[in-house]
């Protein structure tokens, strides 16, 4: 019969959820050996910052120990971390760059 399906639709008609992809913070860590100018160069080259912005963030990391340098999708964040770590290793600096879910 064309009966009421009342209780079933209560269960099945759930709210359409729009699922946004999670974002990831890319963090730069302080150390005692990486030259300040090298960190500034990294921030300009891989994070598109101008010299003043790059210098400011470098100083924040130097003073506070860590800073967020950008927020990206998982894939872009992974690429940034890999680029920074490769570049630092090539130049034999111990600079560390990591990512964490926002
Ligand atoms: N602390 C370093 C120095 O005194 C500079 C530095 C800044 C290193 C930021 C790493 O992420 C960093 N030469």
């Amino acid at each position: 019969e064309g009966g009421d399906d009342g209780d079933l639709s209560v269960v099945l008609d759930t709210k359409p959820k729009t699922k946004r992809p999670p974002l990831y913070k890319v963090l730069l860590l302080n150390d005692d050996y990486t030259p300040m100018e090298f960190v500034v160069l990294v921030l300009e080259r891989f994070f598109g910052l101008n010299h003043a912005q790059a210098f400011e963030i470098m100083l924040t990391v130097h003073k506070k120990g860590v800073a967020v340098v950008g927020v990206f999708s998982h894939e872009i964040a992974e690429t940034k971390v890999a680029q920074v770590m490769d570049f630092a290793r090539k130049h034999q600096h111990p600079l560390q760059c990591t990512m964490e879910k926002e």
Side-chain angles (χ1 to χ4, degrees):
E1 316 293 318
D4 189 349
D5 67 349
D7 286 349
L8 255 187
S9 57
V10 169
V11 174
L12 298 174
D13 296 346
T14 55
K15 185 182 196 183
K17 278 230 177 62
T18 55
K19 191 114 164 165
R20 294 162 298 114
L23 292 175
Y24 292 80
K25 299 182 280 197
V26 171
L27 309 170
L28 206 58
L29 278 60
N30 189 38
D31 66 72
D32 292 338
Y33 305 103
T34 304
M36 290 185 172
E37 319 85 72
F38 184 82
V39 178
V40 171
L41 175 61
V42 162
L43 292 170
E44 291 172 342
R45 177 177 294 202
F46 299 115
F47 296 92
L49 303 180
N50 68 37
H51 193 77
Q53 294 168 329
F55 197 90
E56 193 173 292
I57 292 184
M58 180 281 296
L59 266 193
T60 299
V61 178
H62 177 69
K63 288 193 262 194
K64 304 221 182 195
V66 62
V68 176
V69 301
V71 178
F72 307 98
S73 69
H74 188 272
E75 185 175 344
I76 300 292
E78 264 189 347
T79 301
K80 301 284 182 194
V81 169
Q83 286 174 330
V84 172
M85 295 300 284
D86 280 4
F87 192 59
R89 189 180 36 73
K90 276 200 181 100
H91 291 267
Q92 302 194 14
H93 295 311
L95 182 64
Q96 294 293 306
C97 184
T98 60
M99 60 192 272
E100 65 176 39
K101 202 169 179 181
E102 205 177 42

XYZ file of all heavy atoms in Angstrom:
823
model
N 0.850 -1.194 0.000
C 0.000 0.000 0.000
C 0.881 1.237 0.000
O 2.019 1.198 0.414
C -0.894 0.003 1.245
C -1.549 -1.341 1.589
C -2.587 -1.803 0.553
O -3.377 -0.961 0.077
O -2.587 -3.003 0.174
N 0.349 2.351 -0.443
C 1.123 3.596 -0.403
C 1.222 4.155 0.997
O 0.914 5.321 1.224
N 1.609 3.290 1.891
C 1.607 3.660 3.310
C 2.690 4.669 3.675
O 3.620 4.921 2.926
N 2.528 5.227 4.793
C 3.489 6.165 5.366
C 4.769 5.397 5.714
O 4.728 4.338 6.304
C 2.860 6.744 6.642
C 3.678 7.894 7.189
O 4.815 8.103 6.704
O 3.188 8.565 8.106
N 5.910 5.943 5.342
C 7.156 5.281 5.718
C 7.866 6.080 6.825
O 9.056 6.027 7.017
C 8.066 5.080 4.504
C 8.586 6.384 3.942
O 8.095 7.453 4.340
O 9.499 6.334 3.105
N 7.082 6.810 7.526
C 7.499 7.757 8.562
C 8.832 7.510 9.241
O 9.788 8.226 8.984
N 8.953 6.505 10.039
C 10.151 6.303 10.852
C 11.403 6.081 10.004
O 12.487 6.511 10.368
C 9.962 5.097 11.780
C 9.002 5.451 12.927
O 8.689 6.653 13.073
O 8.593 4.529 13.647
N 11.242 5.410 8.823
C 12.407 5.141 7.974
C 13.024 6.436 7.456
O 14.243 6.612 7.494
C 11.992 4.274 6.784
C 12.403 2.803 6.866
C 12.092 2.112 5.553
C 13.887 2.678 7.209
N 12.173 7.343 6.966
C 12.712 8.579 6.383
C 13.397 9.443 7.445
O 14.331 10.168 7.154
C 11.622 9.370 5.664
O 10.565 9.653 6.564
N 12.966 9.321 8.640
C 13.639 10.056 9.721
C 15.106 9.630 9.780
O 15.997 10.434 9.935
C 12.958 9.801 11.082
C 13.824 10.348 12.217
C 11.573 10.437 11.120
N 15.335 8.333 9.622
C 16.689 7.787 9.704
C 17.487 8.086 8.431
O 18.657 8.449 8.500
C 16.641 6.261 9.953
C 18.027 5.681 9.881
C 16.000 5.980 11.299
N 16.813 7.954 7.277
C 17.562 7.982 6.008
C 17.782 9.383 5.450
O 18.783 9.609 4.781
C 16.839 7.124 4.960
C 16.748 5.639 5.353
C 15.901 4.880 4.344
C 18.150 5.036 5.452
N 16.885 10.316 5.704
C 17.038 11.654 5.126
C 17.987 12.487 5.985
O 17.583 13.360 6.726
C 15.678 12.361 5.023
C 14.746 11.635 4.060
O 15.241 10.777 3.303
O 13.543 11.940 4.068
N 19.243 12.173 5.847
C 20.244 12.913 6.616
C 20.626 14.179 5.872
O 20.442 14.272 4.673
C 21.486 12.053 6.867
O 21.965 11.587 5.612
C 21.162 10.877 7.766
N 21.187 15.117 6.578
C 21.573 16.413 5.996
C 22.712 16.212 4.994
O 23.702 15.551 5.316
C 22.041 17.305 7.145
C 22.365 18.727 6.741
C 22.852 19.484 7.959
C 22.861 20.967 7.813
N 23.421 21.539 9.060
N 22.568 16.745 3.799
C 23.683 16.644 2.837
C 24.888 17.403 3.398
O 24.816 18.606 3.597
C 23.147 17.330 1.580
C 21.681 17.513 1.790
C 21.439 17.524 3.265
N 25.943 16.667 3.659
C 27.135 17.293 4.229
C 28.100 17.661 3.112
O 28.467 16.807 2.315
C 27.816 16.313 5.187
C 27.189 16.278 6.567
C 28.240 16.427 7.661
C 27.593 16.457 9.040
N 26.886 15.189 9.324
N 28.517 18.930 3.076
C 29.579 19.322 2.149
C 30.897 19.129 2.884
O 31.129 19.749 3.907
C 29.421 20.777 1.697
O 29.351 21.617 2.854
C 28.165 20.964 0.865
N 31.730 18.252 2.366
C 32.956 17.867 3.062
C 34.142 18.655 2.504
O 34.572 18.417 1.384
C 33.147 16.353 2.899
C 34.207 15.777 3.778
C 33.637 14.825 4.810
C 34.750 13.959 5.406
N 34.331 13.294 6.617
N 34.619 19.600 3.301
C 35.810 20.350 2.906
C 37.052 19.549 3.257
O 37.090 18.891 4.293
C 35.859 21.691 3.638
C 34.750 22.655 3.257
C 34.570 23.765 4.279
N 34.201 23.239 5.579
C 34.970 23.307 6.657
N 36.143 23.887 6.593
N 34.563 22.815 7.804
N 38.087 19.599 2.392
C 39.314 18.871 2.727
C 40.008 19.544 3.905
O 39.932 20.765 4.051
C 40.156 18.991 1.456
C 39.638 20.204 0.759
C 38.190 20.304 1.112
N 40.648 18.769 4.770
C 41.350 19.367 5.903
C 42.541 20.204 5.435
O 43.114 19.948 4.384
C 41.826 18.162 6.713
C 41.865 17.041 5.748
C 40.783 17.304 4.751
N 42.888 21.204 6.232
C 44.042 22.045 5.923
C 45.185 21.719 6.886
O 44.944 21.268 8.003
C 43.658 23.517 6.021
C 42.673 23.991 4.952
C 42.244 25.429 5.201
C 43.257 23.833 3.549
N 46.376 21.972 6.416
C 47.587 21.642 7.186
C 48.488 22.864 7.338
O 48.745 23.564 6.358
C 48.348 20.511 6.491
C 47.582 19.220 6.563
C 46.521 18.983 5.678
C 47.866 18.270 7.528
C 45.770 17.817 5.756
C 47.123 17.096 7.609
C 46.079 16.880 6.727
O 45.339 15.731 6.819
N 48.924 23.095 8.583
C 49.874 24.165 8.851
C 51.275 23.648 8.546
O 51.624 22.541 8.960
C 49.813 24.579 10.320
C 48.466 25.112 10.739
C 48.470 25.554 12.184
C 48.321 24.365 13.112
N 47.912 24.729 14.483
N 52.050 24.470 7.840
C 53.470 24.152 7.652
C 54.257 24.974 8.668
O 54.088 26.200 8.754
C 53.937 24.434 6.212
C 55.453 24.305 6.105
C 53.249 23.473 5.240
N 55.076 24.278 9.470
C 55.821 24.901 10.564
C 57.312 24.896 10.262
O 57.840 23.917 9.740
C 55.581 24.124 11.863
C 54.134 23.838 12.254
C 54.079 22.854 13.415
C 53.437 25.121 12.639
N 57.954 25.996 10.629
C 59.407 26.078 10.542
C 59.942 26.092 11.968
O 59.400 26.808 12.830
C 59.784 27.357 9.796
C 61.118 27.358 9.067
C 61.189 26.241 8.031
C 61.339 28.706 8.405
N 60.992 25.304 12.220
C 61.548 25.172 13.578
C 62.890 25.881 13.684
O 63.686 25.874 12.733
C 61.713 23.690 13.927
C 60.464 22.955 14.424
C 59.348 22.978 13.387
C 60.801 21.523 14.791
N 63.135 26.441 14.837
C 64.421 27.090 15.076
C 65.513 26.058 15.323
O 65.237 24.927 15.724
C 64.329 28.021 16.291
C 65.569 28.873 16.449
O 66.141 29.323 15.455
N 66.002 29.100 17.673
N 66.746 26.452 15.034
C 67.928 25.684 15.451
C 69.050 26.693 15.643
O 68.875 27.873 15.343
C 68.284 24.620 14.398
C 68.726 25.251 13.092
O 69.839 25.804 13.036
O 67.933 25.217 12.122
N 70.197 26.224 16.146
C 71.284 27.155 16.484
C 72.245 27.403 15.329
O 73.149 28.235 15.451
C 72.085 26.623 17.679
C 71.278 26.628 18.966
O 70.303 27.401 19.047
O 71.631 25.861 19.877
N 72.088 26.694 14.214
C 73.145 26.693 13.188
C 72.743 27.246 11.824
O 73.596 27.782 11.107
C 73.688 25.264 13.009
C 74.174 24.672 14.302
C 73.411 23.724 14.993
C 75.381 25.090 14.861
C 73.852 23.189 16.204
C 75.829 24.565 16.079
C 75.059 23.620 16.733
O 75.491 23.110 17.925
N 71.498 27.081 11.433
C 71.095 27.565 10.104
C 71.199 29.085 10.068
O 70.655 29.767 10.932
C 69.648 27.133 9.781
O 69.544 25.712 9.902
C 69.265 27.559 8.367
N 71.922 29.629 9.068
C 72.062 31.086 8.987
C 70.704 31.770 8.769
O 69.852 31.259 8.036
C 72.967 31.297 7.764
C 73.662 29.997 7.558
C 72.689 28.940 8.014
N 70.547 32.908 9.393
C 69.306 33.679 9.242
C 68.997 33.982 7.772
O 67.847 33.882 7.348
C 69.408 34.983 10.028
C 69.388 34.783 11.530
S 69.365 36.359 12.395
C 69.108 35.813 14.084
N 70.026 34.335 7.006
C 69.816 34.686 5.588
C 69.299 33.488 4.805
O 68.543 33.645 3.846
C 71.119 35.173 4.925
C 71.984 36.084 5.782
C 72.901 35.290 6.703
O 73.862 34.679 6.214
O 72.626 35.265 7.929
N 69.738 32.280 5.190
C 69.267 31.082 4.505
C 67.775 30.866 4.759
O 67.020 30.519 3.841
C 70.071 29.857 4.952
C 69.707 28.598 4.212
C 70.237 28.324 2.957
C 68.807 27.684 4.769
C 69.885 27.173 2.264
C 68.447 26.534 4.085
C 68.981 26.275 2.827
N 67.347 31.081 5.991
C 65.930 30.921 6.340
C 65.084 31.956 5.578
O 64.011 31.627 5.053
C 65.711 31.056 7.865
C 64.234 30.943 8.217
C 66.523 30.001 8.608
N 65.585 33.166 5.487
C 64.882 34.210 4.733
C 64.745 33.784 3.266
O 63.657 33.907 2.671
C 65.621 35.568 4.848
C 65.028 36.596 3.890
C 65.553 36.082 6.285
N 65.818 33.259 2.703
C 65.784 32.788 1.315
C 64.748 31.684 1.124
O 63.994 31.689 0.139
C 67.178 32.288 0.909
C 67.308 31.638 -0.465
C 66.936 32.631 -1.575
C 68.729 31.117 -0.684
N 64.693 30.747 2.064
C 63.713 29.644 2.013
C 62.289 30.199 1.996
O 61.441 29.757 1.205
C 63.912 28.696 3.219
C 62.679 27.831 3.456
C 65.146 27.831 3.009
N 62.037 31.160 2.860
C 60.683 31.717 2.967
C 60.295 32.494 1.701
O 59.142 32.460 1.277
C 60.581 32.596 4.212
C 60.674 31.809 5.526
C 60.823 32.748 6.721
C 59.446 30.914 5.705
N 61.256 33.167 1.104
C 60.994 33.880 -0.158
C 60.760 32.886 -1.295
O 59.793 33.001 -2.053
C 62.189 34.779 -0.521
C 62.363 35.973 0.403
C 63.667 36.727 0.139
O 64.588 36.151 -0.496
O 63.768 37.872 0.565
N 61.637 31.896 -1.383
C 61.627 30.984 -2.532
C 60.447 30.024 -2.525
O 59.828 29.782 -3.553
C 62.928 30.180 -2.557
C 62.962 29.164 -3.685
C 64.267 28.415 -3.757
N 65.410 29.261 -4.121
C 66.538 28.778 -4.644
N 66.664 27.487 -4.881
N 67.526 29.582 -4.930
N 60.125 29.457 -1.356
C 59.122 28.384 -1.317
C 57.759 28.818 -0.789
O 56.777 28.093 -0.938
C 59.647 27.201 -0.504
C 60.899 26.589 -1.083
C 62.099 26.638 -0.387
C 60.888 25.993 -2.342
C 63.264 26.089 -0.924
C 62.039 25.447 -2.895
C 63.237 25.493 -2.183
N 57.722 30.009 -0.178
C 56.435 30.431 0.384
C 55.963 31.767 -0.178
O 54.970 32.329 0.294
C 56.512 30.451 1.910
C 56.757 29.078 2.484
C 58.046 28.639 2.731
C 55.702 28.209 2.711
C 58.287 27.366 3.221
C 55.921 26.935 3.202
C 57.216 26.506 3.457
N 56.690 32.273 -1.182
C 56.243 33.465 -1.904
C 56.170 34.723 -1.060
O 55.390 35.628 -1.374
N 56.968 34.767 0.003
C 56.955 35.968 0.839
C 57.944 36.999 0.297
O 58.969 36.635 -0.277
C 57.352 35.603 2.278
C 56.494 34.531 2.962
C 57.000 34.282 4.370
C 55.031 34.959 3.004
N 57.617 38.291 0.504
C 58.600 39.316 0.147
C 59.673 39.358 1.239
O 59.550 38.703 2.271
C 57.931 40.679 -0.106
C 57.357 41.280 1.160
O 57.915 41.161 2.249
N 56.211 41.941 1.015
N 60.720 40.140 0.992
C 61.871 40.089 1.893
C 61.502 40.494 3.322
O 61.949 39.855 4.280
C 63.005 40.972 1.363
C 64.309 40.728 2.056
N 65.103 39.630 1.772
C 64.934 41.412 3.045
C 66.170 39.651 2.555
N 66.100 40.731 3.337
N 60.689 41.538 3.441
C 60.299 42.041 4.774
C 59.474 41.005 5.529
O 59.713 40.750 6.719
C 59.524 43.345 4.639
N 58.515 40.385 4.855
C 57.676 39.339 5.464
C 58.544 38.141 5.867
O 58.375 37.576 6.961
C 56.621 38.841 4.471
C 55.576 39.870 4.088
C 54.735 39.406 2.885
O 55.221 38.677 2.001
N 53.478 39.830 2.845
N 59.451 37.763 4.984
C 60.322 36.614 5.232
C 61.219 36.881 6.442
O 61.385 36.011 7.306
C 61.161 36.309 3.997
N 61.761 38.082 6.508
C 62.641 38.440 7.627
C 61.869 38.405 8.949
O 62.359 37.883 9.955
C 63.268 39.825 7.402
C 64.454 40.075 8.273
C 65.738 39.734 7.850
C 64.298 40.635 9.531
C 66.841 39.950 8.673
C 65.396 40.849 10.359
C 66.663 40.503 9.928
N 60.659 38.918 8.917
C 59.814 38.968 10.115
C 59.503 37.562 10.639
O 59.625 37.292 11.839
C 58.521 39.700 9.750
C 57.657 40.112 10.910
C 56.482 40.982 10.437
O 56.734 42.120 10.003
O 55.346 40.503 10.483
N 59.113 36.659 9.744
C 58.783 35.288 10.159
C 60.039 34.561 10.639
O 60.006 33.838 11.640
C 58.075 34.520 9.023
C 56.693 35.126 8.802
C 57.977 33.032 9.357
C 55.838 34.418 7.782
N 61.169 34.791 9.944
C 62.438 34.184 10.383
C 62.737 34.602 11.822
O 63.115 33.769 12.661
C 63.562 34.610 9.431
C 64.933 34.045 9.780
S 65.754 34.920 11.126
C 65.980 36.537 10.386
N 62.569 35.898 12.116
C 62.851 36.406 13.472
C 61.898 35.818 14.505
O 62.297 35.524 15.633
C 62.739 37.935 13.502
C 64.010 38.748 13.291
C 63.758 40.202 13.661
C 65.180 38.192 14.111
N 60.628 35.626 14.111
C 59.648 34.997 15.008
C 60.086 33.584 15.361
O 60.063 33.191 16.536
C 58.250 34.964 14.349
O 57.832 36.297 14.087
C 57.229 34.299 15.266
N 60.517 32.816 14.355
C 60.994 31.448 14.614
C 62.230 31.488 15.508
O 62.339 30.722 16.474
C 61.321 30.716 13.291
C 61.852 29.316 13.585
C 60.104 30.650 12.389
N 63.145 32.396 15.200
C 64.388 32.527 15.972
C 64.086 32.807 17.446
O 64.724 32.264 18.338
C 65.224 33.655 15.364
C 66.495 33.944 16.100
N 67.558 33.068 16.133
C 66.871 35.024 16.836
C 68.532 33.598 16.869
N 68.138 34.778 17.305
N 63.104 33.653 17.705
C 62.797 34.069 19.082
C 61.871 33.101 19.813
O 62.023 32.853 20.995
C 62.166 35.470 19.077
C 63.188 36.577 18.741
C 62.652 37.965 19.047
C 62.107 38.633 17.810
N 61.875 40.100 17.986
N 60.883 32.575 19.088
C 59.848 31.749 19.742
C 60.071 30.250 19.585
O 59.436 29.458 20.270
C 58.465 32.107 19.187
C 58.147 33.602 19.322
C 56.710 33.815 19.752
C 56.380 35.282 19.835
N 55.158 35.584 20.549
N 60.926 29.869 18.630
C 61.226 28.450 18.454
C 60.495 27.800 17.298
O 60.958 26.805 16.747
N 59.358 28.355 16.920
C 58.556 27.778 15.837
C 57.566 28.832 15.351
O 57.175 29.729 16.113
C 57.816 26.504 16.332
C 56.856 26.823 17.442
C 57.117 25.790 15.189
N 57.182 28.732 14.082
C 56.114 29.590 13.553
C 55.419 28.898 12.392
O 56.022 28.064 11.701
C 56.657 30.944 13.105
N 54.166 29.223 12.204
C 53.417 28.752 11.035
C 53.825 29.637 9.853
O 53.762 30.864 9.945
C 51.904 28.869 11.261
C 51.139 28.481 9.999
C 51.468 28.014 12.439
N 54.255 29.010 8.764
C 54.675 29.784 7.597
C 53.653 29.740 6.463
O 53.775 30.474 5.484
C 56.070 29.355 7.104
C 57.094 29.555 8.222
C 56.084 27.918 6.633
N 52.631 28.873 6.627
C 51.571 28.816 5.625
C 50.577 27.722 5.963
O 50.872 26.844 6.781
N 49.405 27.775 5.348
C 48.355 26.768 5.538
C 47.913 26.292 4.151
O 47.568 27.116 3.296
C 47.158 27.345 6.314
C 46.056 26.317 6.452
C 47.599 27.831 7.692
N 47.954 24.967 3.957
C 47.751 24.401 2.620
C 46.958 23.096 2.673
O 46.799 22.509 3.753
C 49.122 24.087 1.986
C 50.081 25.248 1.975
C 51.056 25.361 2.963
C 50.004 26.234 1.005
C 51.942 26.433 2.973
C 50.891 27.307 1.009
C 51.859 27.411 1.985
N 46.541 22.626 1.509
C 45.996 21.267 1.381
C 47.109 20.274 1.750
O 48.300 20.631 1.749
C 45.553 21.011 -0.056
O 46.691 20.944 -0.898
N 46.724 19.038 2.013
C 47.709 18.012 2.404
C 48.804 17.867 1.357
O 50.001 17.831 1.684
C 47.008 16.668 2.607
C 47.902 15.612 3.184
N 48.687 14.800 2.409
C 48.157 15.268 4.475
C 49.372 13.986 3.186
N 49.067 14.248 4.452
N 48.425 17.817 0.094
C 49.405 17.584 -0.972
C 50.384 18.755 -1.111
O 51.598 18.549 -1.252
C 48.679 17.341 -2.303
C 49.628 16.969 -3.413
C 48.917 16.610 -4.721
O 47.694 16.357 -4.690
O 49.587 16.606 -5.766
N 49.843 19.971 -1.071
C 50.712 21.148 -1.203
C 51.624 21.265 0.019
O 52.831 21.539 -0.120
C 49.884 22.443 -1.372
C 49.008 22.366 -2.631
C 50.779 23.668 -1.410
C 49.749 22.382 -3.942
N 51.081 21.017 1.207
C 51.890 21.093 2.436
C 53.040 20.091 2.378
O 54.182 20.428 2.699
C 51.018 20.846 3.659
N 52.740 18.866 1.941
C 53.783 17.831 1.811
C 54.871 18.264 0.851
O 56.059 18.035 1.102
C 53.152 16.535 1.289
C 52.788 15.556 2.359
C 52.372 14.212 1.779
O 52.131 14.102 0.550
O 52.267 13.261 2.565
N 54.463 18.868 -0.252
C 55.432 19.339 -1.245
C 56.324 20.429 -0.667
O 57.547 20.398 -0.852
C 54.698 19.862 -2.501
O 53.910 18.806 -3.033
C 55.675 20.356 -3.545
N 55.734 21.378 0.030
C 56.509 22.472 0.650
C 57.532 21.919 1.636
O 58.696 22.320 1.629
C 55.592 23.454 1.392
C 54.521 24.130 0.547
C 55.081 25.226 -0.305
C 53.983 25.928 -1.101
N 54.547 26.761 -2.184
N 57.080 21.005 2.507
C 57.979 20.409 3.511
C 59.142 19.699 2.809
O 60.305 19.887 3.186
C 57.218 19.428 4.433
C 58.183 18.625 5.290
C 56.224 20.188 5.311
N 58.837 18.927 1.775
C 59.879 18.188 1.053
C 60.859 19.154 0.380
O 62.077 18.935 0.423
C 59.238 17.272 0.009
N 60.352 20.218 -0.227
C 61.205 21.202 -0.896
C 62.166 21.855 0.106
O 63.361 21.992 -0.166
C 60.352 22.289 -1.562
C 59.643 21.820 -2.822
C 58.681 22.874 -3.373
O 58.118 23.668 -2.618
N 58.502 22.885 -4.690
N 61.630 22.252 1.257
C 62.462 22.920 2.274
C 63.514 21.958 2.819
O 64.697 22.314 2.929
C 61.601 23.475 3.427
C 62.476 23.995 4.562
C 60.672 24.570 2.918
N 63.079 20.726 3.136
C 64.014 19.749 3.704
C 65.117 19.380 2.697
O 66.280 19.251 3.081
C 63.255 18.492 4.160
C 62.278 18.742 5.306
S 63.070 19.373 6.799
C 63.822 17.864 7.422
N 64.773 19.227 1.439
C 65.763 18.936 0.385
C 66.769 20.069 0.252
O 67.981 19.840 0.187
C 65.066 18.765 -0.974
C 64.443 17.393 -1.141
O 64.487 16.611 -0.171
O 63.929 17.116 -2.234
N 66.247 21.287 0.197
C 67.088 22.474 0.013
C 68.045 22.624 1.206
O 69.235 22.896 1.026
C 66.189 23.701 -0.152
C 66.874 24.945 -0.625
C 67.557 24.975 -1.838
C 66.828 26.106 0.137
C 68.179 26.138 -2.281
C 67.449 27.281 -0.297
C 68.131 27.295 -1.507
N 67.532 22.432 2.426
C 68.365 22.546 3.632
C 69.453 21.472 3.632
O 70.618 21.758 3.928
C 67.488 22.430 4.881
N 69.063 20.247 3.284
C 70.036 19.137 3.269
C 71.138 19.393 2.236
O 72.327 19.206 2.530
C 69.310 17.822 2.966
C 70.166 16.577 3.123
C 69.400 15.290 2.811
N 68.441 15.457 1.709
C 68.784 15.568 0.418
N 70.049 15.498 0.051
N 67.842 15.732 -0.506
N 70.739 19.857 1.059
C 71.720 20.181 -0.001
C 72.764 21.177 0.486
O 73.923 21.109 0.100
C 71.010 20.777 -1.220
C 70.441 19.761 -2.182
C 70.208 20.389 -3.567
C 69.604 19.381 -4.528
N 68.140 19.543 -4.688
N 72.310 22.125 1.306
C 73.218 23.164 1.804
C 73.790 22.806 3.182
O 74.456 23.618 3.815
C 72.491 24.507 1.834
C 72.192 25.053 0.471
N 73.024 25.929 -0.190
C 71.167 24.798 -0.383
C 72.510 26.213 -1.381
N 71.376 25.533 -1.525
N 73.518 21.588 3.620
C 74.043 21.055 4.886
C 73.674 21.921 6.093
O 74.494 22.144 6.987
C 75.556 20.856 4.784
C 75.910 19.908 3.645
C 77.360 19.421 3.715
O 78.037 19.569 4.720
N 77.813 18.826 2.644
N 72.415 22.390 6.079
C 71.892 23.098 7.247
C 70.875 22.191 7.939
O 70.154 21.450 7.266
C 71.219 24.408 6.825
C 72.179 25.393 6.240
N 73.379 25.722 6.851
C 72.121 26.143 5.098
C 74.006 26.620 6.112
N 73.286 26.889 5.046
N 70.786 22.284 9.278
C 69.885 21.382 10.017
C 68.438 21.876 10.109
O 67.651 21.337 10.892
C 70.528 21.333 11.410
C 71.158 22.669 11.556
C 71.624 23.081 10.175
N 68.104 22.853 9.313
C 66.755 23.434 9.325
C 65.678 22.354 9.233
O 65.760 21.463 8.383
C 66.612 24.409 8.147
C 65.281 25.154 8.026
C 65.066 26.072 9.214
C 65.244 25.948 6.723
N 64.667 22.450 10.088
C 63.566 21.484 10.113
C 62.242 22.164 9.762
O 61.944 23.259 10.252
C 63.435 20.854 11.501
C 64.630 19.992 11.901
C 64.768 18.737 11.055
O 63.822 17.963 10.935
N 65.938 18.551 10.462
N 61.482 21.475 8.923
C 60.175 21.957 8.492
C 59.203 20.786 8.628
O 59.517 19.675 8.200
C 60.278 22.418 7.035
S 58.782 23.158 6.374
N 58.053 21.024 9.261
C 57.079 19.947 9.453
C 55.671 20.467 9.132
O 55.490 21.666 8.892
C 57.075 19.440 10.910
O 56.729 20.518 11.766
C 58.418 18.882 11.308
N 54.721 19.542 9.139
C 53.325 19.946 8.916
C 52.434 19.308 9.976
O 52.759 18.268 10.531
C 52.855 19.530 7.519
C 52.902 18.050 7.250
S 52.665 17.673 5.504
C 50.868 17.570 5.441
N 51.333 19.972 10.275
C 50.347 19.362 11.180
C 48.935 19.799 10.774
O 48.739 20.894 10.262
C 50.640 19.702 12.637
C 50.511 21.154 13.002
C 50.727 21.387 14.507
O 51.608 20.739 15.088
O 50.002 22.209 15.083
N 47.993 18.898 11.006
C 46.596 19.170 10.673
C 46.118 20.358 11.489
O 46.428 20.461 12.677
C 45.742 17.936 10.972
C 44.444 17.891 10.224
C 43.805 16.517 10.379
C 42.483 16.425 9.663
N 41.882 15.090 9.840
N 45.390 21.257 10.816
C 44.938 22.489 11.468
C 43.872 22.191 12.525
O 43.075 21.298 12.320
C 44.395 23.446 10.427
C 44.457 24.895 10.846
C 43.982 25.835 9.755
O 42.978 25.531 9.112
O 44.628 26.877 9.558
N 68.618 30.551 15.177
C 69.328 30.681 13.907
C 70.571 31.544 14.114
O 70.716 32.187 15.128
C 68.434 31.346 12.847
C 67.238 30.525 12.501
C 66.008 31.124 12.368
C 67.336 29.148 12.270
C 64.870 30.400 12.005
C 66.226 28.401 11.910
O 63.912 28.313 11.386
C 64.993 29.020 11.772
N 71.458 31.540 13.136
